[in-house]
Amino acid sequence: MDQIGQVVELQGKSAVVRVRRTSACGENCASCGGGCTPTSTTLKAVNGLNAKVGDMVKVEMSSGAFVLLAFIGYILPILIAIAAYMVARQLSSDTIVADISAVVALVLTLVVFFVVDKLPKKSTRFSSRIIRILR
């Protein structure tokens, strides 16, 4: 997955890059009558090309890593909540207990993801990297 963005900050051997969010509408804003405004987000990318603040760059993340992260972030919490609901339903005849168990499992999963995301990363497997400086 490749995206084009602008370097907004340098952090050691990494760069914070602001990229435009893509959406399902195709991003053909000039001919669209939808009235939405394009949004942007930032990502941290390995800066092996020594890009400077203000440079337009092309950033790459492997498609496999992107799909795996999307699965972990979106699908896995739902599967854990469903599993917690089913286990609680087997152990208790009260559906409120099962409902609460599912919500608690979902919240705990998201809290764990948040904490793990804040830990220092030793692997670059899931990292974006700058592959070209455009200007």
Side-chain angles (χ1 to χ4, degrees), residues 56-124:
M56 293 299 291
V57 294
K58 188 171 191 177
V59 180
E60 173 189 66
M61 176 183 233
S62 85
S63 294
F66 182 76
V67 170
L68 181 59
L69 286 174
F71 174 80
I72 290 170
Y74 293 109
I75 306 300
L76 189 60
I78 294 170
L79 293 177
I80 290 172
I82 290 171
Y85 177 86
M86 293 172 74
V87 168
R89 191 74 173 120
Q90 291 295 320
L91 297 176
S92 172
S93 61
D94 192 1
T95 58
I96 293 176
V97 171
D99 294 341
I100 292 171
S101 298
V103 171
V104 167
L106 181 64
V107 168
L108 286 177
T109 302
L110 296 176
V111 167
V112 168
F113 287 174
F114 180 79
V115 170
V116 168
D117 184 52
K118 297 301 177 194
L119 295 175
K121 286 140 185 91
K122 297 177 182 171
S123 170
T124 59

Side-chain angles (χ1 to χ4, degrees), residues 38-64:
T39 59
S40 64
T41 187
T42 58
L43 58 88
K44 196 171 188 179
V46 176
N47 188 9
L49 300 179
N50 295 320
K52 308 291 184 233
V53 173
D55 287 348
M56 293 299 291
V57 294
K58 188 171 191 177
V59 180
E60 173 189 66
M61 176 183 233
S62 85
S63 294

Side-chain angles (χ1 to χ4, degrees), residues 4-16:
I4 295 174
Q6 183 176 24
V7 177
V8 293
E9 182 182 345
L10 298 175
Q11 295 179 349
K13 296 181 180 181
S14 298
V16 177

